[in-house]
Amino acid sequence: ERAREILERADERGDNRLGVEAMDLLDAYGIPTPEGTIAEDPEDAVSAAQDIEGSVVMKIVSPDILHKSDIGGVKVGVEPEDVYDAYEDLVTRARNYQPDAEILGVQVQEMVDLDSGTETIIGMNRDPQFGPLLLFGLGGIFVEILEDTETRVAPVSEREATEMVEGIRSAPLLRGARGRDPADREAIVESLQRLSQLVTDFPAILELDVNPLVAGPDGVQAVDVRLTVD
Ligand code: ADP
Ligand code: MG
């Protein structure tokens, strides 16, 4: 099973904190992710960008740097001719931040349309008393400011997942308030159930966040992930 392999490989490296190198975990559970690969050198990055076409997003991949934009580790809208230099720049920034950081490479990812979508967050935290708590809320900066989230104990039924999505105070935003495109709420519900299944299958996953899960009019895309494993 693909998901098990990803966790085993991380374990062999001695990493118990994972970032976008674990994107395939989501993919293996049917949570949609943008096209993306982890390049291990600048040439690699250039050819990965060629496969994607158009401008790309580039992110430093390091178990020591899980809040990538805090250190300037995310570049959005990189043009093909700038990919080589962007790779080196991202590695330099990471080294400046932490000279001995373990760097796995740079993720080259397809651009996701944030204008027609809403940044949401789905996640899980194991509570000593209640067990695995699934979380849904608005992502990006909103998540901290609004404290507008819903939680349920995993595994969740379709009905519970729907309650989570419809239960946040900002739900009207997802339904298309103020002339916005309504978000595909069924796709969010499905992703919550798939995440529920993932964390139920792998008790070793202690916490996991997909932030953002971009909810567009036709489906969702998990753009970023971080998790902690036992
Ligand atoms: P981190 O949370 O570690 O800083 P993210 O991967 O979440 O890194 O990237 C930070 C922000 O950059 C996201 O919240 C999103 O707004 C933007 N972003 C990241 N990846 C993409 C993408 N593929 N397409 C469009 N915007 C992106
Ligand atoms: Mg993020």
Side-chain angles (χ1 to χ4, degrees):
E1 198 196 41
R2 205 145 57 94
R4 195 169 303 281
E5 262 171 47
I6 294 164
L7 292 172
E8 275 168 8
R9 256 185 283 131
D11 193 47
E12 281 160 17
R13 289 198 304 271
D15 296 343
N16 63 347
R17 292 166 73 60
L18 307 182
V20 289
E21 69 274 23
M23 214 63 149
D24 287 350
L25 261 189
L26 303 179
D27 200 47
Y29 273 75
I31 299 172
T33 57
E35 188 181 345
T37 37
I38 296 177
E40 293 179 6
D41 56 50
E43 289 85 3
D44 230 17
V46 170
S47 71
Q50 271 161 3
D51 292 341
I52 290 172
E53 291 178 4
S55 60
V56 294
V57 180
M58 294 176 67
K59 310 180 188 185
I60 193 75
V61 184
S62 163
D64 298 312
I65 304 168
L66 292 162
H67 294 270
K68 301 174 288 298
S69 27
D70 287 359
I71 68 134
V74 178
K75 289 174 184 265
V76 179
V78 181
E79 297 298 336
E81 65 270 25
D82 299 327
V83 167
Y84 193 103
D85 290 347
Y87 185 104
E88 295 193 315
D89 189 38
L90 285 168
V91 172
T92 303
R93 289 179 187 188
R95 290 259 172 264
N96 286 343
Y97 166 74
Q98 189 181 321
D100 65 348
E102 181 194 1
I103 294 171
L104 301 177
V106 167
Q107 188 196 34
V108 180
Q109 191 181 56
E110 179 191 346
M111 292 274 284
V112 170
D113 179 11
L114 296 180
D115 291 332
S116 69
T118 306
E119 290 193 57
T120 67
I121 172 170
I122 61 176
M124 186 278 301
N125 225 313
R126 272 181 213 278
D127 182 273
Q129 195 180 345
F130 297 107
L133 283 183
L134 280 193
L135 172 139
F136 173 71
L138 290 193
I141 49 169
F142 296 118
V143 73
E144 286 103 41
I145 297 173
L146 298 179
E147 290 180 23
D148 185 15
T149 54
E150 283 282 321
T151 55
R152 294 286 185 286
V153 178
V156 294
S157 63
E158 181 177 355
R159 184 200 160 129
E160 286 172 301
T162 305
E163 282 170 7
M164 293 174 74
V165 174
E166 303 297 339
I168 59 167
R169 275 179 280 123
S170 327
L173 212 69
L174 299 173
R175 291 198 285 265
R178 309 217 164 207
R180 296 168 60 85
D181 286 332
D184 187 342
R185 286 161 10 251
E186 277 172 28
I188 306 176
V189 168
E190 196 176 326
S191 292
L192 273 168
Q193 288 182 275
R194 290 176 182 267
L195 181 65
S196 169
Q197 190 63 51
L198 167 65
V199 301
T200 304
D201 291 348
F202 293 99
I205 300 177
L206 300 180
E207 55 182 355
L208 185 155
D209 275 310
V210 177
N211 184 13
L213 177 82
V214 178
D218 298 299
V220 295
Q221 295 227 274
V223 158
D224 183 31
V225 65
R226 65 178 135 256
L227 61 148
T228 310
V229 289
D230 193 358

